[in-house]
Amino acid sequence: MTIVPGGSFDKISPTALLTAYARQFAGIPYTREIAELTDAIATVNQFTEGKLNSLVIGLAAIVEGRYKAIEYVRSQFHATQILELASGLLPRGMILSQQPEITFIESDLLAMIHQKQQLAQQLIGDRPNLHFLDIDATTTLNSSRLSAYFHVDQPVTVLCEGLMMYLTFAEKRQVFANMREILQTFGGVWITPDLTTKVGADQMGRNSAAFEPVNQKISSLTGRLVAENEFADLDQARQFVREQGFQLDEFSMLEVLDQLESLSTLKIERDIAKVMLSTIPIFVMSLE
Ligand SMILES: C[S@@+](CC[C@H](N)C(=O)[O-])C[C@H]1O[C@@H](n2cnc3c(N)ncnc32)[C@H](O)[C@@H]1O
């Protein structure tokens, strides 16, 4: 396997089709349409080399769990200004922008956010409170790009799922610097399950036969050594967060275990899903 460390970020974008495929079993609006319109199965086949079933089972519970757990946590903050980083093919912006009091900015790399905007156009048409911005989370962010849509006197909730595990530690630091800039300008919180650990990955690997081979394939196709970008354990992740000037709360994904629809759809054992969800907390970060 040849890996180019720090390869182009666009090579990460096809992973959004993996999660879009896995998310369609969760009973979340628009997810089936998104998987179908993007032909997500074709990319999944490329990543899984015929191990489709075990991949889906491995990924579906975690993708559904993190989406629903973020929603559970997000709803406790009542923020009406929401920024999603690396939004990929997530349906959250389309769902939440049904509430006119919410201003939602979806962001991702240029090509991906362009595709997403076209998809949203097809599925829901234009909405005055749903915006699409190309943001590379690892380059310096000018928060005035956001204040074109957000009020500076109202807090922002930033969401991010499925990005940071691909980033080196230097790139993670830049994302944290950008989040500091946003929270200094608007106030609010940053919610993410993305501070993944080696301890968690080992636990996942023991519970899903597809986890390790698919991770290797992801590394080879994206040029990103996922295993090298993980924190050793949660304590190291917590320390990293504090060093970047944030305070931290954690919520367990197990809060949403009983809401997971993919367990019955895909016949995933509850105990396996329980172990997988317990490996990753949802981090809620705000400025000290
Ligand atoms: C695993 S997908 C996750 C997508 C979506 N959040 C989800 O949960 O389905 C990773 C996403 O990160 C985006 N991405 C990769 N590098 C990025 C960067 N430097 N800045 C912003 N987004 C990036 C990709 O385009 C892709 O949409």
Side-chain angles (χ1 to χ4, degrees), residues 9 12-13 15-16 19 23 66 86-90 108-109 112 135-138 161-163 166:
F9 292 116
I12 301 172
S13 296
T15 60
T19 46
R23 201 179 293 114
R66 78 184 187 195
S87 73
L89 300 167
L90 279 166
D108 204 300
L109 302 173
M112 178 51 85
I135 294 179
D136 175 342
T138 68
E161 53 177 296
L163 170 65
Y166 296 104

Side-chain angles (χ1 to χ4, degrees), residues 156-180:
V156 167
T157 293
V158 183
L159 307 174
C160 176
E161 53 177 296
L163 170 65
M164 302 274 281
M165 55 283 280
Y166 296 104
L167 305 182
T168 64
F169 285 91
E171 290 162 350
K172 289 190 217 298
R173 276 190 200 92
Q174 182 59 52
V175 178
F176 272 81
N178 287 336
M179 294 308 107
R180 266 200 313 271

Side-chain angles (χ1 to χ4, degrees), residues 192-206:
T192 184
D194 278 4
L195 306 180
T196 52
T197 66
K198 287 192 197 314
V199 170
D202 289 348
Q203 212 172 329
M204 294 258 197
R206 283 196 294 276

Side-chain angles (χ1 to χ4, degrees), residues 156-282:
V156 167
T157 293
V158 183
L159 307 174
C160 176
E161 53 177 296
L163 170 65
M164 302 274 281
M165 55 283 280
Y166 296 104
L167 305 182
T168 64
F169 285 91
E171 290 162 350
K172 289 190 217 298
R173 276 190 200 92
Q174 182 59 52
V175 178
F176 272 81
N178 287 336
M179 294 308 107
R180 266 200 313 271
E181 157 86 14
I182 291 174
L183 298 188
Q184 269 159 7
T185 307
F186 299 97
V189 293
W190 175 23
I191 301 172
T192 184
D194 278 4
L195 306 180
T196 52
T197 66
K198 287 192 197 314
V199 170
D202 289 348
Q203 212 172 329
M204 294 258 197
R206 283 196 294 276
N207 284 277
S208 164
F211 183 77
E212 191 47 41
V214 170
N215 250 359
Q216 279 178 17
K217 190 75 183 166
I218 287 177
S219 288
S220 112
L221 289 177
T222 61
R224 295 264 151 184
L225 283 166
V226 176
E228 285 194 3
N229 298 327
E230 285 161 343
F231 294 96
D233 53 26
L234 280 175
D235 279 342
Q236 195 193 31
R238 291 175 186 124
Q239 191 185 334
F240 181 89
V241 169
R242 284 190 291 265
E243 282 167 7
Q244 310 309 307
F246 289 79
Q247 61 185 24
L248 169 76
D249 277 320
E250 289 169 40
F251 287 76
S252 169
M253 282 209 216
L254 293 173
E255 296 278 359
V256 299
L257 181 64
D258 291 332
Q259 294 176 30
L260 299 196
E261 293 188 21
S262 59
L263 303 197
S264 56
T265 318
L266 295 171
K267 303 199 177 2
I268 300 170
E269 282 178 41
R270 191 177 190 279
D271 283 349
I272 299 237
K274 194 171 172 181
V275 174
M276 298 187 94
L277 264 54
S278 69
T279 62
I280 312 176
I282 303 287

